[in-house]
């Protein structure tokens, strides 16, 4: 006959912490994904690590983020060029020593 023992308070607190942080859901999701793979990967640990590192992002999410990075880099380059041009044009109107006319 098995004896029921009360759960360890520290263990229960840690379990609630993991649930609140979303760790339990993430691990469950990755393990279900592994279970549902028609062909099991040779390295299950690598599969789990890769899927945990993805943070739940889909390929479309990653593609959208990569495109956003490209767009922002292009915008930054345009703004830097515009800034350079404006500074150059400003030099025509201000003396180089920084003195202002009174």
């Amino acid at each position: 006959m098995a004896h029921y023992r009360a759960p360890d308070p520290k263990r229960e607190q840690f379990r609630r912490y993991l649930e609140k942080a979303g760790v339990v859901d993430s691990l469950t999701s990755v393990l279900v994904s592994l279970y549902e793979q028609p062909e099991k990967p040779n390295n299950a640990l690598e599969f789990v690590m890769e899927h945990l590192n993805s943070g739940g992002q889909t390929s479309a999410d990653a593609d959208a983020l990569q495109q956003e990075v490209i767009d922002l880099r292009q915008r930054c380059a345009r703004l830097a060029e515009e800034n350079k041009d404006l500074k150059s044009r400003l030099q025509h109107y201000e003396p180089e020593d920084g003195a202002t006319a009174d």
Side-chain angles (χ1 to χ4, degrees):
M1 185 161 142
H3 295 289
Y4 175 78
R5 67 177 198 199
D8 180 10
K10 282 186 176 182
R11 191 174 285 208
E12 274 300 306
Q13 182 181 12
F14 185 66
R15 183 189 58 76
R16 284 192 303 273
Y17 161 74
L18 292 175
E19 285 178 352
K20 186 177 179 182
V23 173
V24 173
D25 289 339
S26 293
L27 285 173
T28 301
S29 175
V30 170
L31 292 174
V32 167
S33 178
L34 176 61
Y35 175 78
E36 292 175 346
Q37 292 294 310
E39 291 186 31
K40 303 299 182 235
N42 292 332
N43 189 337
L45 182 58
E46 184 176 305
F47 177 91
V48 170
M49 289 172 55
E50 285 177 8
H51 284 76
L52 280 176
N53 285 337
S54 72
Q57 290 182 342
T58 64
S59 178
D61 291 338
D63 291 344
L65 289 173
Q66 286 176 343
Q67 185 59 49
E68 184 178 4
V69 167
I70 291 168
D71 294 344
L72 290 172
R73 285 183 177 158
Q74 290 173 346
R75 181 176 179 213
C76 184
R78 282 193 311 269
L79 290 172
E81 188 61 35
E82 181 182 352
N83 188 6
K84 181 180 172 183
D85 179 53
L86 291 172
K87 283 182 178 180
S88 173
R89 290 170 48 191
L90 185 61
Q91 289 297 317
H92 295 285
Y93 299 102
E94 289 186 356
E96 289 195 26
D97 64 317
T100 58
D102 288 299

